[in-house]
Amino acid sequence: MPIAARAFAAVAADKPLEPYRFDRRDPGADDVAIEIKYCGVCHSDLHIARNDLGGTRYPVVPGHEIAGVVTAVGGNVSRFKVGDRVGVGCMVDSCRTCPACQEGEEQYCVPGMTQTYGSADPLGEPVGQSITQGGYSDRITVNQDFVLRIPDSLPLDAAAPLLCAGITTWSPLRHWNVGEGSKVAVVGLGGLGHMAVKLAHAMGAEVTVLSTSDRKKADAERMGAKHFLINSDKAAMKAAAEKFDLIINTVSATHEIAGHLNLLARDGTMVMLGLTTEPMPVFAMPLLWRRRSVAGSLIGGIRETQEMLNFCAEHGIACDIETIAPDQINEAYARMEKSDVRYRFVIDMARMN
């Protein structure tokens, strides 16, 4: 029998999100049915709801930072049982056979991963769903291979954003071998940035936050940043030249990045994480002179995400959150556009009317 779900969905680019009812599929042999307790609100949710990237199919239920409790499992499921605390991140399937999937990098699946919302959903046909629907809802059914275990020591509400904000910053920190003695700069102290600071600090790096003002300086220091740099302070920027091994750029709006390249040491890398929709100029000279790189990174694979969750549990790391009721989502979007959140909105599904 289909599972009735309540949600908030985007119905058009120029309209607010509204209540939406639909059916989830009954768990198949390899599926896990989850009662969603909390769902984080990511800036990419806003982009999709507003069709900023093009191609949004409506109605769509956003949300890919899902934390909840297992309510049922299929006959082939052995890793999860009813009552387990679990999470679902940005993807719910992949081809399983391409080189990326075989290497545990399902996020780079060559045909394309099945995203938690907005992707074609061949498994949704029996219940009338042509696209996947995300976590701004009270229920979801997911293949067991794309379900994460949330350690008991992590609060479910503050753990939810780890499924995107946490893994999105963890993956490049791991890939570029951050550890004791690394010098890491984080551009922007928002949902992604505050997690980058916490994780890099816990990994042993010396962390600097780059921001447009000092209003979040105390927060940055509390999270583990040793230094705080105003990027409009030309003297301070000049003094920081060639200092950093890695710059994690989390800003989701168009901004100037060329001037930041001189902050990189030889062989240093700036990793772009923010989902920007307009081009940003980069000049060759700063790259050539010190063999610097500009790179990108996209979430992480399932194995890496579980590794991140375990690391967070071991080090007592979770997101700084503000919980909201589902019917406050449009207000949250308006505030998020003004960077008025410290540091992640999380929807409390128990407050669904």
Side-chain angles (χ1 to χ4, degrees), residues 3 28 30 39 44 59 77 92 106 117 126 132 136 142 152 184 220 233 254 273 276 293 305 318 338 347:
I3 302 171
D30 297 305
C39 183
S44 60
V77 176
V92 292
E106 301 94 343
Y117 64 88
T132 54
Y136 294 7
V142 180
D152 290 341
V184 174
D233 185 335
T254 303
L273 301 185
T276 54
S293 302
T305 304
K338 298 183 291 186
I347 303 171

Side-chain angles (χ1 to χ4, degrees), residues 89 108 117 126-127 150 168 179 187 193-194 201 214 223 230 252 256 258 268 280 290 298 319 335:
Y108 300 121
Y117 64 88
V127 291
I150 297 179
T168 298
V187 183
H194 92 289
H201 172 67
D214 64 359
M223 294 169 188
I230 307 299
S252 293
E256 192 276 331
M280 294 178 287
R290 292 293 185 270
L298 178 70
C319 293
R335 287 180 53 193

Side-chain angles (χ1 to χ4, degrees), residues 6-335:
R6 297 177 299 162
F8 267 73
V11 296
D14 58 350
K15 293 184 178 179
L17 275 70
E18 62 183 48
Y20 178 62
R21 291 179 180 265
F22 67 106
D23 287 333
R24 298 284 193 185
R25 71 178 187 270
D26 195 47
D30 297 305
D31 285 337
V32 176
I34 301 165
E35 179 185 358
I36 299 174
K37 298 293 188 180
Y38 300 97
C39 183
V41 179
C42 177
H43 205 279
S44 60
D45 298 345
L46 176 61
H47 282 310
I48 298 300
R50 302 277 173 82
N51 199 28
D52 291 339
L53 308 179
T56 298
R57 289 173 282 183
Y58 301 98
V60 61
V61 177
H64 55 209
E65 298 180 338
I66 298 167
V69 176
V70 175
T71 58
V73 297
N76 294 340
V77 176
S78 59
R79 302 198 331 267
F80 302 100
K81 64 183 187 303
V82 172
D84 282 352
R85 307 165 82 249
V86 295
V88 178
C90 300
M91 54 187 169
V92 292
D93 209 346
S94 69
C95 80
R96 319 290 184 99
T97 59
C98 72
C101 289
Q102 290 291 302
E103 294 165 15
E105 301 279 6
E106 301 94 343
Q107 74 274 29
Y108 300 121
C109 176
V110 174
M113 63 176 170
T114 301
Q115 297 182 70
T116 304
Y117 64 88
S119 284
D121 185 7
L123 298 178
E125 185 176 347
V127 291
Q129 291 298 319
S130 61
I131 62 171
T132 54
Q133 302 289 6
Y136 294 7
S137 59
D138 59 357
R139 311 218 169 249
I140 194 168
T141 303
V142 180
N143 183 283
Q144 62 175 330
D145 292 340
F146 288 81
V147 177
L148 289 306
R149 186 175 298 280
I150 297 179
D152 290 341
S153 63
L154 293 176
L156 276 183
D157 55 358
L162 296 176
L163 279 304
C164 177
I167 186 57
T168 298
T169 49
W170 171 264
S171 189
L173 291 170
R174 289 283 287 166
H175 182 77
W176 275 275
N177 299 311
V178 168
E180 293 291 338
S182 298
K183 296 185 185 302
V184 174
V186 177
V187 183
L189 195 68
L192 291 178
H194 92 289
M195 286 308 307
V197 172
K198 291 183 178 188
L199 291 169
H201 172 67
M203 296 166 85
E206 180 181 313
V207 183
T208 299
V209 168
L210 279 72
S211 188
T212 57
S213 75
D214 64 359
R215 66 188 180 93
K216 295 182 179 178
K217 182 178 180 180
D219 283 357
E221 292 172 345
R222 170 177 58 83
M223 294 169 188
K226 188 173 182 180
H227 310 286
F228 196 93
L229 181 60
I230 307 299
N231 51 25
S232 60
D233 185 335
K234 294 181 179 179
M237 291 285 281
K238 184 176 181 179
E242 304 192 33
K243 178 177 180 180
F244 302 110
D245 306 305
L246 185 69
I247 298 176
I248 301 289
N249 191 328
T250 71
V251 177
S252 293
T254 303
H255 60 290
E256 192 276 331
I257 63 171
H260 291 68
L261 296 178
N262 287 321
L263 302 178
L264 290 168
R266 176 171 52 84
D267 292 326
T269 301
M270 176 187 286
V271 184
M272 307 299 293
L273 301 185
L275 188 60
T276 54
T277 58
E278 296 177 356
M280 294 178 287
V282 173
F283 303 106
M285 196 71 75
L287 301 177
L288 302 178
W289 244 241
R290 292 293 185 270
R291 202 164 54 196
R292 298 163 172 140
S293 302
V294 177
S297 183
L298 178 70
I299 58 171
I302 295 299
R303 181 179 60 225
E304 190 174 45
T305 304
Q306 189 65 62
E307 178 186 75
M308 177 273 304
L309 288 169
N310 295 343
F311 180 91
C312 287
E314 180 183 349
H315 292 269
I317 296 172
C319 293
D320 287 26
I321 64 169
E322 178 180 339
T323 57
I324 61 171
D327 62 6
Q328 293 177 295
I329 187 59
N330 293 301
E331 176 188 343
Y333 274 14
R335 287 180 53 193

